Amino acid sequence: MVTKVAWDYTHQEFTITDYYYFSILQKVCKDNGIEVDEITDWNQLKNYDVIVFNYPEIPFTEKEVEEVKKFVEEGKRVVILGYYKNEDNIADTINTLATAFGLKMNGDEVTDNQSNHNSDPYFVVTSKVYQYNNGVKQLMLACTPSISLEGENTEIVIEGEPSAVSNKGNKPILGAVYKHPSGGEFIVIGTCVFWDNYSIELYNNKEFAINLLKK
């Protein structure tokens, strides 16, 4: 069964058709029955099973927030991804939508001096992947902030190992989800580069990407 994914570009996101960054992800989707369309018309999002906001740079309006809440209530999966240190105000922008689901992206950075890739503490490696984890033993998340769970029906998706720390003292939660009784989900992942061409073939990042997008 093919999953139809809307890769939004109405908020100036990184596009999946950017060959330099996402050509491997494009191929992975094609090989795994995931049909991805780049969407420049907000009104088309309702036609898809999964909606991705990959580093949105334009804040969401109240009307858009209400429409995304409706998508989730209808059983759709919405995934939004950011970056560390609130660069380009990315955490603030994401929070114009995420806080409606009881989730918050923090403007911090999570590092791990013990569990990392290539001896770089910013390339956080963790085995604590609690959901969307079929075939996933470890993930590498580069340049990630933490996520705070502030509302009901929210759960941790990924957290750092005990050696992971936030420079602002937050819990090192790197991904979280709001679950609606309908089966709809709103997922926040700290870093949008876990599935770029550099990272996707490391550890089980590819398997996690497939699990996130295939519904």
Side-chain angles (χ1 to χ4, degrees):
M1 182 177 174
V2 173
T3 300
K4 292 180 64 179
V5 175
W7 193 282
D8 188 74
Y9 190 48
T10 67
H11 287 69
Q12 289 185 1
E13 293 90 345
F14 286 129
T15 64
I16 193 170
T17 53
D18 186 321
Y19 190 87
Y20 184 82
Y21 288 107
F22 297 113
S23 59
I24 298 174
L25 177 59
Q26 278 188 277
K27 184 177 186 304
V28 166
C29 288
K30 187 176 181 180
D31 291 346
N32 286 275
I34 301 166
E35 185 180 295
V36 183
D37 291 333
E38 210 165 83
I39 302 300
T40 56
D41 177 359
W42 178 271
N43 294 322
Q44 295 300 312
L45 295 178
K46 63 180 181 290
N47 299 320
Y48 291 81
D49 310 305
V50 178
I51 300 164
V52 177
F53 300 107
N54 195 55
Y55 198 92
E57 295 193 62
I58 298 174
F60 293 84
T61 66
E62 288 184 22
K63 181 174 183 289
E64 288 170 339
V65 171
E66 290 306 311
E67 289 182 7
V68 174
K69 286 166 70 175
K70 186 179 179 184
F71 295 156
V72 174
E73 289 167 4
E74 291 171 349
K76 298 183 187 298
R77 176 181 296 165
V78 178
V79 185
I80 194 165
L81 308 96
Y83 206 54
Y84 73 165
K85 299 195 295 189
N86 199 23
E87 290 204 354
D88 296 331
N89 299 312
I90 186 61
D92 294 338
T93 299
I94 281 176
N95 289 336
T96 62
L97 179 58
T99 53
F101 297 92
L103 298 170
K104 179 185 176 186
M105 180 169 287
N106 298 311
D108 61 355
E109 59 185 42
V110 175
T111 55
D112 195 322
N113 286 319
Q114 295 180 35
S115 183
N116 59 55
H117 175 68
N118 213 20
S119 301
D120 189 330
Y122 284 96
F123 288 7
V124 176
V125 174
T126 182
S127 62
K128 296 182 177 294
V129 185
Y130 305 124
Q131 303 188 54
Y132 319 103
N133 59 1
N134 184 35
V136 177
K137 292 182 178 178
Q138 282 187 311
L139 291 181
M140 192 280 281
L141 293 98
C143 303
T144 183
S146 65
I147 312 297
S148 293
L149 283 65
E150 300 185 337
E152 296 180 356
N153 302 316
T154 56
E155 301 173 9
I156 298 171
V157 173
I158 313 163
E159 65 179 329
E161 301 288 350
S163 48
V165 293
S166 156
N167 68 326
K168 294 190 177 179
N170 299 311
K171 290 183 179 179
I173 297 168
L174 313 179
V177 60
Y178 163 84
K179 293 189 174 181
H180 190 271
S182 67
E185 303 153 298
F186 182 88
I187 303 166
V188 181
I189 304 295
T191 176
C192 66
V193 297
F194 93 89
W195 53 13
D196 70 1
N197 282 355
Y198 177 83
S199 299
I200 192 168
E201 294 184 309
L202 297 173
Y203 304 89
N204 296 119
N205 285 26
K206 179 173 71 174
E207 289 80 4
F208 184 71
I210 293 167
N211 296 341
L212 266 190
L213 295 177
K214 199 166 180 67
K215 184 168 166 61

